[in-house]
Amino acid sequence: DVTRMAELPDARHALSLQWVFGVAPEAGAHSLSDENRSAIFYTSAHTGVVLDLQSQTQLLLQGHRNAICATAASEDRRRIATADAGPGSMLVLWDSYNGCPLRSIAPPHESGVRAIDMSPDARYVVALSAGPAPQLLSLWDLAADGDKPLYSHQVNSTAEEQLSVRFSPEAPTEIVTAGGRIVIFWSWASGTLECYAPEEAGASLQQPVSPLTGSLFLPGSRRALSSTTDGQAVVWDVVSNVPEADTLRRRAVKLVRLASRSTIRCAVVMHGLLFVGTADGHVRAFNSELRLVAWFEDIAAGPVTSISFSHDAAAWEGKGGADDLRCADFIVGTAGGL
């Protein structure tokens, strides 16, 4: 039990973990820096690590029985969610300042978790199940008591396994999941969890589309975007003849190139800008019209697997164009570590 583990003093353990070496890049890395601290979060096998960059100390988050495979952080960086897959799996919400578990759900799904996301305000967490079909998507209200999800819905049996999940940053009632070919849009705005899987992008656009690597919502619009393995991205928009309130029914409307023949490994939206990390080790920033406004090509640390910004709203004020991009400090996770 993760709560009991956190409460036991070191003297009660035959062995006490003091320091962790190594990084698990597939679970992602998060900047926890704000006006009070300079810190990052990453995972190493079964353990979450909050590394204070100034004091060079580690705060270790322990309790998972299996290697942590998915993580998420709240917008203010005060909350972290971790999840694993396998026997005795758990989904845990942590206080990133003191390392205390605030909530644990065990098990979130029978075989654990494939992917998770947290709403910006840390009120909700969504998880895709791992393991054999049928795959489930479940949503928890972290302010409610008990482990029972607010909603749980089976992924369409004709759809492939969904590998990623994202909340809309502007409306937590909207969710998008993606597999290698199929994207599913979800909504619980009506009081029930509904889903819609549009026609595959290649069929709608009548041209070949490379396998997808993830999907997210674009800010300030009803559009969504799916990245691909060849550096292009599919833009999804609502069907023109449906009511404005119906945000589920989307279709692929165009294919845009965001990188030069390099797999887009991750994408995040911050303050109206889209940042993508690619297998060639570059980070590129695009505006709301998907026009390139800045690029970072001297990282030289391998394929970029995650991008995370510090919580510093003032750093974004007065952001300009390609010659005057203003943004908060950010970290990148790579296939080789941090």
Side-chain angles (χ1 to χ4, degrees):
D1 183 278
V2 69
T3 304
R4 292 184 61 195
M5 284 285 291
E7 293 173 349
L8 288 175
D10 287 347
R12 295 282 297 279
H13 297 282
L15 294 175
S16 179
L17 186 62
Q18 298 297 316
W19 192 267
V20 170
F21 294 92
V23 177
E26 63 276 5
H30 302 274
S31 173
L32 302 180
S33 298
D34 55 23
E35 66 275 11
N36 299 314
R37 63 175 173 178
S38 179
I40 61 175
F41 171 77
Y42 57 92
T43 67
S44 183
H46 300 58
T47 304
V49 181
V50 176
L51 175 63
D52 190 300
L53 299 175
Q54 295 174 323
S55 65
Q56 286 298 299
T57 56
Q58 289 184 345
L59 181 62
L60 305 179
L61 312 184
Q62 301 178 72
H64 285 279
R65 292 181 58 184
N66 310 287
I68 297 171
C69 62
T71 63
S74 61
E75 186 176 58
D76 63 6
R77 302 301 188 254
R78 296 195 64 92
R79 302 288 183 264
I80 301 169
T82 59
D84 64 81
S89 65
M90 292 193 302
L91 191 160
V92 186
L93 179 71
W94 308 85
D95 185 311
S96 71
Y97 266 85
N98 58 30
C100 291
L102 303 173
R103 182 78 179 272
S104 62
I105 299 169
H109 292 292
E110 183 176 353
S111 298
V113 169
R114 159 65 82 171
I116 63 172
D117 195 25
M118 187 189 300
S119 62
D121 62 359
R123 172 73 183 270
Y124 304 100
V125 64
V126 62
L128 283 168
S129 67
Q135 188 177 32
L136 296 174
L137 179 139
S138 297
L139 172 76
W140 286 268
D141 181 350
L142 298 177
D145 296 328
D147 291 352
K148 185 178 179 180
L150 182 64
Y151 299 106
S152 190
H153 196 293
Q154 182 176 319
V155 174
N156 192 319
S157 59
T158 62
E160 63 183 347
E161 182 184 17
Q162 299 291 281
L163 305 176
S164 68
V165 59
R166 289 286 187 92
F167 278 108
S168 166
E170 298 173 350
T173 54
E174 292 191 49
I175 299 167
V176 61
T177 63
R181 297 177 297 105
I182 294 173
V183 173
I184 303 177
F185 294 96
W186 307 76
S187 175
W188 49 284
S190 65
T192 60
L193 183 60
E194 303 172 296
C195 64
Y196 175 73
E199 182 180 48
E200 289 184 34
S204 294
L205 300 174
Q206 298 185 343
Q207 61 178 301
V209 174
S210 298
L212 308 179
T213 59
S215 295
L216 50 67
F217 292 96
L218 294 174
S221 72
R222 301 170 74 187
R223 298 179 300 162
L225 179 142
S226 297
S227 54
T228 72
T229 58
D230 75 341
Q232 292 183 303
V234 178
V235 178
W236 306 86
D237 206 348
V238 294
V239 178
S240 59
N241 60 350
V242 302
E244 184 176 352
D246 186 356
T247 58
L248 277 180
R249 296 179 60 81
R250 291 178 170 88
R251 62 183 178 87
V253 294
K254 62 180 177 180
L255 194 63
V256 296
R257 179 160 296 282
L258 302 182
S260 301
R261 305 294 176 183
S262 181
T263 298
I264 299 174
R265 299 286 296 269
C266 62
V268 297
V269 169
M270 290 294 293
H271 290 262
L273 296 175
L274 170 69
F275 292 82
V276 300
T278 55
D280 58 12
H282 300 167
V283 174
R284 297 174 175 88
F286 300 85
N287 64 16
S288 59
E289 301 301 320
L290 299 181
R291 295 173 181 168
L292 183 67
V293 296
W295 55 94
F296 305 86
E297 298 183 342
D298 299 321
I299 300 174
V304 177
T305 57
S306 63
I307 305 169
S308 180
F309 289 83
S310 62
H311 182 56
D312 184 2
W316 298 88
E317 294 178 0
K319 61 181 183 292
D323 298 325
D324 187 28
L325 174 70
R326 299 181 185 178
C327 67
D329 293 339
F330 65 92
I331 65 169
V332 298
T334 71
L338 289 175

